[in-house]
Amino acid sequence: MQRYNLFQSAHHTLQDVLFDGAISLQKEGSPSLQKVTDAVTVAQLQARAKEDCIFPAIDAFEPSVVDAVKQQHAMAFQLTQRLEAILKEEQQLSQLRQAYNQLLVAQLKSMQKGEEVLLPILWQYYSDAELKKLEARLDKVLQRQIEQATAIAAM
């Protein structure tokens, strides 16, 4: 029986913006730095939303797994900070590409780990109906974070 994958929509969205940013960086001439910035923002917001919504649901049963995933998120956060610094300092495109590719790989690994490690734990302890409610909560938190980030960026 196929169980509900509450990460599917969020992961597809993140993959889309990550690959869009990667394609932009590969184009000759002046790449769209906004696409890179958007990808970094979405990656950070999704990580934060998972920590707020998904981690508590798993921590109650498997705290060591949550600790391991938090370490992975911390590493990805360091990569996003490095990438943001490169963007601010307007360093060479080759440095930007290298940092972005590292972030892309880290994010893909994180998504894969989520689907291979976190989903089975969620399936063990929660029904599909409960997972759909958890996904709806995740979407609300993510939407609120996007609205806050947009408001801050507009200032």
Side-chain angles (χ1 to χ4, degrees), residues 5-114:
N5 181 349
L6 77 157
F7 295 129
Q8 188 170 4
S9 176
H11 286 178
H12 282 299
T13 300
L14 181 55
Q15 288 169 3
D16 285 348
V17 296
L18 286 169
F19 289 133
D20 199 28
I23 289 168
S24 173
L25 284 175
Q26 298 309 312
K27 291 182 179 175
E28 292 299 319
S30 179
S32 172
L33 297 182
Q34 186 59 48
K35 290 183 179 187
V36 172
T37 303
D38 291 347
V40 170
T41 301
V42 171
Q44 289 174 329
L45 294 176
Q46 279 201 9
R48 210 171 316 140
K50 280 183 188 176
E51 290 171 4
D52 292 347
C53 297
I54 305 298
F55 287 6
I58 295 172
D59 194 49
F61 303 104
E62 304 281 348
S64 63
V65 172
V66 171
D67 289 341
V69 177
K70 281 182 180 179
Q71 289 175 6
Q72 192 175 24
H73 278 207
M75 183 187 75
F77 182 71
Q78 289 174 346
L79 291 171
T80 60
Q81 286 184 314
R82 179 172 173 246
L83 191 56
E84 287 174 333
I86 290 170
L87 286 166
K88 285 179 186 171
E89 295 169 10
E90 297 180 12
Q91 294 183 17
Q92 292 183 351
L93 185 57
S94 63
Q95 291 174 312
L96 179 60
R97 284 180 177 148
Q98 181 183 21
Y100 190 84
N101 287 339
Q102 290 173 344
L103 176 67
L104 175 68
V105 168
Q107 290 297 325
L108 292 173
K109 285 181 179 180
S110 178
M111 286 184 269
Q112 182 179 7
K113 187 171 187 171

Side-chain angles (χ1 to χ4, degrees), residues 92-154:
Q92 292 183 351
L93 185 57
S94 63
Q95 291 174 312
L96 179 60
R97 284 180 177 148
Q98 181 183 21
Y100 190 84
N101 287 339
Q102 290 173 344
L103 176 67
L104 175 68
V105 168
Q107 290 297 325
L108 292 173
K109 285 181 179 180
S110 178
M111 286 184 269
Q112 182 179 7
K113 187 171 187 171
E115 295 199 15
E116 292 177 353
V117 176
L118 300 181
L119 268 178
I121 293 169
L122 290 166
W123 289 337
Q124 181 178 355
Y125 295 105
Y126 298 94
S127 69
D128 284 353
E130 291 170 317
L131 293 178
K132 288 177 184 177
K133 287 180 184 176
L134 190 57
E135 180 186 41
R137 182 168 170 246
L138 178 67
D139 289 345
K140 281 183 184 178
V141 167
L142 188 55
Q143 187 60 40
R144 186 174 60 245
Q145 289 176 346
I146 289 170
E147 289 168 3
Q148 289 171 348
T150 304
I152 291 170

